[in-house]
Amino acid sequence: MNNNTQESKIQLEYINKCTELVKEKYKKAPAFFIQNAGCQMNSLQTDTVAGIVKRMGYTEVSREEDADVVIYNTCTVRENANLKIYGHLGHLKSIKKKNPELKIVLFGCMMQEPEVIEKIHKEYSFVDLVFGTHNFHKFPELFYRSLNTEGQIIDVWKESDEIVEGMPSDRKYSFKTGVNIMFGCNNFCSYCIVPYVRGREKSREPEAIIEEIKGLVADGVTEVMLLGQNVNSYGKTLEHPVTFAQLLKQVEAIEGLKRIRFMTSHPKDLSDELIRTMAESKKVCHHLHLPMQSGSSRILKIMNRRYDKEKYLELVAKIRNAVPDISLTTDIIVGFPGETEEDFQDTLDVVEKCDFDSAFTFIYSKRSGTPAAKMENQVPEDVVKDRFDRLLALVQEKGRKASSRFEGTVQEILVEEESREKGIFTGRTEYNLLVHFPGCQDLIGKYVKVKLDTCKGFYYFGSLAE
Ligand code: SAH
Ligand code: SF4
Ligand code: F3S
């Protein structure tokens, strides 16, 4: 593995070259529009690209119509995500007719699909620059080429074993941020396209992660979210293997850091060591996102999840025993090929037993190239829809009940922003529960105690307790 800082130097030079070019090209500061799709790892890369174009002299705008550059970071985990991008492109075509100088940039997971690239090349020739997940770090260089070219540039790599450190980024909040600890996925759940578009699992060196977080803390960050498709297998492929729990302890030792979160945990790799670390730590938040996907052992086997219903329930019991106040959330897929009513009842049963604080529910989406896409027994749409509605009703009812356990208590929250309603601010408890309360601007980025007065289902209305 090559943790290449030389490459980031080259790219920083390209940023400077672009800055000069932009100064020559535009009389006043040009504008960019950027949109993110997909998971938090994508969102972090969106922040990096936004940070880079800002350095080049662009200012951010909130409408495509006002932009000189429109950038979409794409996701392809479900078909819907792709359809949305094609919809946006239709809209952009008409904007570009009026403003032929407009640059359109697409990158991210969807661009790793050969059919997508073919379609963009043939039907969307007005898109200027396309790159993928493996050459993401080349963005400044590619953008420089695009600024100097009229035609379409498509540069998508099949694989890369490089992790490029030290790229500039622009975070949304000054006091909290995500930090990638690994890239890619080796699990090949049979429904999932991520391993195909993100490539093999690669962990960053712990030293690089710690150094980055120390830098962030020095710059005002007090909460980090460590990100990976399966953080529980962090470090296994490093030259000197490190477990995720060991990494957490190193992060915990960073002075000035107050809260540590992580995402996502695969149940098959969740170790006792990690549970113990969560229980003992003063900084790791008591919130665990533990995607179950299905409650049926039969379906879980075909999904290639490598745990069954009993193992999942045992794991939840073990976690609750060690960390009694834990907040648990999950992901569930409905309508996986061959799912019967009996299988679905198992899913409902697990939801009934686990008391999740919330659950993301998804209708199974067929992704080409995955083993599940070739399965013949796809479930009819009306059956899936009916199951989905029943699941959602149960998830919401249980979620409301679970969240209401905090009613009347005083909790510490990190204040994030003013809500749409003036004078009402929002923040999150360590359990990741959103709280709205009357406050003031000075509180943003601070930890304050609030009394959770009224549970509104998935959030609270509270009042300052100090
Ligand atoms: N690595 C994470 C999940 C990343 S994708 C994990 O394994 O937990 C986020 C969620 O999208 C998954 O948990 C799954 O519930 C959902 N998902 C993935 N592929 C899907 C598909 N083909 N159809 C519907 N939902 C899917
Ligand atoms: Fe997809 Fe499974 Fe990897 Fe998660 S663990 S990204 S669901 S293959
Ligand atoms: Fe989507 Fe890629 Fe994340 S497919 S969910 S953006 S890893």
Side-chain angles (χ1 to χ4, degrees):
M1 182 126 357
N2 183 3
N3 289 320
N4 196 336
T5 42
Q6 188 58 34
E7 178 63 33
S8 81
K9 275 199 197 122
I10 295 173
Q11 297 306 321
L12 289 172
E13 278 165 25
Y14 273 108
I15 296 180
N16 293 337
K17 282 188 183 177
C18 287
T19 312
E20 278 166 31
L21 205 61
V22 163
K23 258 191 219 146
E24 280 168 30
K25 198 171 151 130
Y26 300 97
K27 285 195 193 71
K28 68 175 187 52
F32 76 99
F33 170 92
I34 196 162
Q35 186 166 291
N36 182 62
C39 59
Q40 308 207 32
M41 278 156 276
N42 245 28
S43 145
L44 214 50
Q45 293 192 318
T46 303
D47 292 351
T48 302
V49 169
I52 290 172
V53 288
K54 276 188 189 169
R55 275 193 194 201
M56 291 174 181
Y58 290 84
T59 50
E60 189 164 2
V61 289
S62 57
R63 287 178 357 133
E64 282 101 328
E65 286 80 355
D66 303 329
D68 299 283
V69 181
V70 169
I71 309 168
Y72 289 136
N73 188 2
T74 62
C75 169
T76 185
V77 76
R78 284 168 290 275
E79 197 189 0
N80 255 351
N82 296 39
L83 297 179
K84 264 191 208 154
I85 290 294
Y86 290 129
H88 284 309
L89 287 179
H91 179 54
L92 283 186
K93 190 175 184 178
S94 64
I95 300 180
K96 195 157 177 167
K97 264 206 187 117
K98 285 182 222 144
N99 174 16
E101 291 289 298
L102 175 69
K103 284 257 171 227
I104 300 172
V105 181
L106 298 177
F107 73 103
C109 294
M110 182 179 158
M111 300 304 125
Q112 290 297 138
E113 289 182 273
E115 313 86 84
V116 169
I117 292 304
E118 212 183 296
K119 194 166 163 133
I120 289 175
H121 183 60
K122 278 201 192 127
E123 296 170 36
Y124 299 90
S125 55
F126 57 93
V127 171
D128 298 278
L129 173 60
V130 175
F131 58 99
T133 57
H134 299 300
N135 60 342
F136 167 74
H137 58 277
K138 292 270 186 197
F139 168 66
E141 185 176 341
L142 290 166
F143 192 68
Y144 181 72
R145 268 176 58 201
S146 180
L147 284 177
N148 285 302
T149 320
E150 286 289 311
Q152 187 174 61
I153 299 175
I154 295 183
D155 190 5
V156 177
W157 300 2
K158 281 212 165 68
E159 246 312 342
S160 155
D161 65 354
E162 242 176 7
I163 293 180
V164 177
E165 299 285 355
M167 298 282 278
S169 192
D170 179 36
R171 46 177 202 273
K172 183 173 173 213
Y173 299 104
S174 60
F175 46 88
K176 72 166 197 175
T177 183
V179 173
N180 275 320
I181 62 167
M182 58 205 297
F183 301 92
C185 181
N186 286 353
N187 289 315
F188 290 96
C189 302
S190 62
Y191 50 82
C192 183
I193 200 167
V194 171
Y196 304 90
V197 296
R198 282 272 168 185
R200 292 298 59 74
E201 189 178 290
K202 304 183 269 273
S203 295
R204 287 176 72 193
E205 292 292 339
E207 294 78 18
I209 298 169
I210 298 300
E211 198 185 321
E212 180 184 345
I213 301 178
K214 280 186 176 162
L216 290 165
V217 170
D219 196 36
V221 167
T222 59
E223 179 183 304
V224 290
M225 163 90 87
L226 308 179
L227 296 172
Q229 290 298 356
N230 177 13
V231 294
N232 297 334
S233 68
Y234 169 79
K236 286 186 180 162
T237 52
L238 288 172
E239 199 183 328
H240 304 287
V242 174
T243 64
F244 178 55
Q246 285 167 339
L247 176 73
L248 275 181
K249 283 180 195 151
Q250 290 189 36
V251 176
E252 167 121 19
I254 297 173
E255 231 171 282
L257 186 67
K258 282 205 60 160
R259 276 180 176 180
I260 306 166
R261 300 184 186 279
F262 57 86
M263 198 130 123
T264 297
S265 279
H266 194 305
K268 82 175 163 65
D269 298 312
L270 194 116
S271 65
D272 291 348
E273 186 197 14
L274 176 64
I275 298 177
R276 225 176 312 129
T277 307
M278 280 190 95
E280 288 164 5
S281 165
K282 297 223 156 37
K283 296 184 182 174
V284 176
C285 292
H286 286 180
H287 167 225
L288 184 66
H289 186 63
L290 194 65
M292 65 180 257
Q293 313 300 3
S294 168
S296 153
S297 297
R298 195 182 74 82
I299 293 291
L300 285 168
K301 192 156 194 317
I302 313 172
M303 284 179 161
N304 193 29
R305 289 291 287 180
R306 284 169 277 179
Y307 55 87
D308 59 14
K309 179 181 178 184
E310 283 65 42
K311 168 104 194 288
Y312 189 89
L313 289 171
E314 271 167 35
L315 202 52
V316 167
K318 200 151 66 173
I319 296 158
R320 288 213 186 275
N321 192 31
V323 190
D325 62 338
I326 192 97
S327 150
L328 275 182
T329 56
T330 198
D331 291 348
I332 306 168
I333 297 175
V334 184
F336 181 83
E339 184 190 75
T340 62
E341 178 60 27
E342 200 184 338
D343 293 319
F344 178 65
Q345 287 298 328
D346 274 326
T347 297
L348 293 180
D349 188 43
V350 175
V351 171
E352 194 60 68
K353 288 183 171 133
C354 287
D355 296 322
F356 296 116
D357 284 69
S358 72
F360 295 101
T361 49
F362 304 108
I363 286 182
Y364 166 73
S365 169
K366 196 168 164 177
R367 307 312 291 126
S368 68
T370 62
K374 291 189 210 82
M375 295 177 188
E376 274 161 14
N377 41 0
Q378 307 280 330
V379 184
E381 214 172 289
D382 55 332
V383 175
V384 179
K385 181 79 182 62
D386 172 63
R387 285 183 196 158
F388 183 82
D389 291 345
R390 283 188 281 156
L391 176 66
L392 193 64
L394 181 66
V395 157
Q396 288 182 341
E397 180 203 320
K398 298 283 295 179
R400 229 171 271 132
K401 230 183 251 168
S403 308
S404 70
R405 74 186 183 279
F406 297 107
E407 200 158 60
T409 64
V410 171
Q411 300 284 338
E412 186 172 61
I413 62 166
L414 171 56
V415 184
E416 287 180 1
E417 60 203 353
E418 187 165 20
S419 72
R420 257 172 271 158
E421 195 180 336
K422 239 187 140 23
I424 303 298
F425 288 74
T426 65
R428 277 173 199 276
T429 69
E430 80 162 292
Y431 309 104
N432 209 31
L433 201 59
L434 201 62
V435 183
H436 294 236
F437 68 100
C440 57
Q441 293 286 343
D442 304 351
L443 297 179
I444 293 179
K446 303 227 165 73
Y447 292 84
V448 298
K449 295 253 163 64
V450 289
K451 181 145 179 277
L452 305 191
D453 299 315
T454 336
C455 181
K456 299 275 186 186
F458 296 100
Y459 71 97
Y460 267 92
F461 206 86
S463 48
L464 282 171
E466 283 165 350

